Amino acid sequence: MSTGQRTEPAPAARRRRSVPVAFGIDIGGSGIKGAPVDLATGELTADRVRIPTPDPSKPAAVAATVADLVAGFDLPADVPLGLTFPAPIKHGIVAFIANLHRSWKGVDVPALMTEATGRPVSAVNDADAAGVAEVAFGAARDVPGVVLMTTLGTGIGSALVVDGVLVPNTELGHLEIDGDDAEHRASSAAKEREGLSWEQWAERLQRYYETVEMLFSPDLIVVGGGVSKKHEKFLPLLRTRAPIVPAALRNSAGIVGAARLAAAGHR
C-alpha cells in the first residue's frame, strides 16, 4: 500500500478507458509524485500522489518508494511508466548527480525501476520532461521551430525542443557566464540566498537569457519552476528577441512529460 494520500479516480476518468493513458512519476529531492495521464489532453486522470523522498535517497530506497507509489494505483498491465530524474540521463545511465545521494552516479535508472515495479519504465531528465509537456499541452503548444524551456529553482534546468523533437540533457544552467556558473548567480535560490529584489534578479536573468538566446536563437522561451507563479514580477523586466512566457502546466509538467515520452517508447 502507498503511504501517500489519494482519492479514487473520478467516474468520468473510469468511463474514458478507451483514451490512451500512461503513468508519470516525478522524482525530486524532497518528494516523489505520480499520476496517470490522459495522453490526448495532458490531464491527470486521477489525483496526484506524493510520497516523501527517502532520506538518505539511495537508489534501492528510492526504487522501493516508486514501486510503492505505482502499486497504489489500479493500472492495467499495458500502461507505460515514465519517470523524471533530477540529473542528466544518457541511455538510461545517470551521468552525475546533485540533488540525490551520490551513489546514483552510474546507475541504470530504467533497469533499476523496471526491476522494482515489475513493469517497463523509461527515464528522462526532469527539465526535459517539463519541456516536452509544455510543447505538447502547455505554453509552447503549436509553436514551430526551437523552443527553450528553463526551470528556475535550486538551479536552472533547461530543455531544448526543435520542431517537437527533444534535444536531451542540455544542462544550460551550467553555462559559464562572466566567469561564474549561470545558476549560481541567476537561479531563484540565488535570489533568495542573496536577498535580491525582483529588479536586481531580473538583471542577472537578463544576462543569462541574452546569452542562451545568442547561442540557440529560440523562437520561444518558456520559464517554469515554482517562481514562475510570480512571473508578473520579473518577466516584464526582461528584454529578449523571442517571446518569453510563463509555463502553463506548473507542478504537473514533469509527470505529464514523463508519461508522454514513455508512451512514445522513450528509453
Side-chain angles (χ1 to χ4, degrees):
M1 289 294 293
S2 170
T3 56
Q5 296 192 359
R6 67 186 295 271
T7 60
E8 290 298 316
R14 295 194 196 99
R15 288 196 299 269
R16 292 186 295 174
R17 289 299 188 188
S18 61
V19 176
V21 172
F23 194 85
I25 303 159
D26 192 1
I27 296 178
S30 61
I32 298 173
K33 300 166 288 187
V37 177
D38 183 328
L39 296 173
T41 65
E43 297 175 352
L44 307 187
T45 65
D47 286 351
R48 182 183 65 178
V49 170
R50 181 186 185 277
I51 302 176
T53 302
D55 185 15
S57 53
K58 294 183 178 181
V62 172
T65 302
V66 168
D68 186 51
L69 187 153
V70 172
F73 289 83
D74 182 18
L75 299 176
D78 60 348
V79 170
L81 266 61
L83 62 82
T84 77
F85 197 78
I89 299 286
K90 187 172 183 179
H91 305 303
I93 307 297
V94 178
F96 63 86
I97 189 71
N99 294 323
L100 291 178
H101 196 271
R102 68 182 65 181
S103 59
W104 278 97
K105 184 177 179 180
V107 170
D108 186 324
V109 179
L112 175 68
M113 297 299 175
T114 295
E115 181 179 3
T117 63
R119 297 167 176 263
V121 179
S122 67
V124 63
N125 172 265
D126 50 4
D128 283 347
V132 166
E134 289 292 335
V135 168
F137 303 110
R141 186 171 187 174
D142 298 325
V143 175
V146 179
V147 174
L148 173 64
M149 169 85 181
T150 59
T151 56
L152 303 177
T154 303
I156 298 178
S158 64
L160 196 66
V161 183
V162 182
D163 290 328
V165 178
L166 175 68
V167 180
N169 299 317
T170 49
E171 292 293 315
L172 299 182
H174 295 294
L175 285 172
E176 183 178 313
I177 300 176
D178 299 330
D180 205 352
D181 197 64
E183 68 179 21
H184 181 72
R185 288 182 49 79
S187 66
S188 60
K191 177 187 183 301
E192 297 303 316
R193 183 175 63 247
E194 300 183 38
L196 301 176
S197 67
W198 292 105
E199 290 76 14
Q200 290 171 324
W201 187 46
E203 290 180 6
R204 298 190 182 189
L205 289 175
Q206 178 66 39
R207 183 75 180 101
Y208 174 70
Y209 284 114
E210 68 186 20
T211 299
V212 294
E213 191 165 37
M214 175 190 68
L215 293 171
F216 296 97
S217 300
D219 296 288
L220 177 69
I221 302 171
V222 181
V223 180
V227 75
S228 66
K229 291 183 291 187
K230 299 180 180 179
H231 60 87
E232 72 283 352
K233 294 184 179 294
F234 65 96
L235 286 190
L237 302 176
L238 303 179
R239 298 291 177 263
T240 56
R241 296 191 303 275
I244 185 166
V245 300
L249 299 181
R250 308 296 188 200
N251 289 334
S252 296
I255 290 172
V256 173
R260 182 175 175 84
L261 286 167
H266 175 84
R267 299 301 299 158

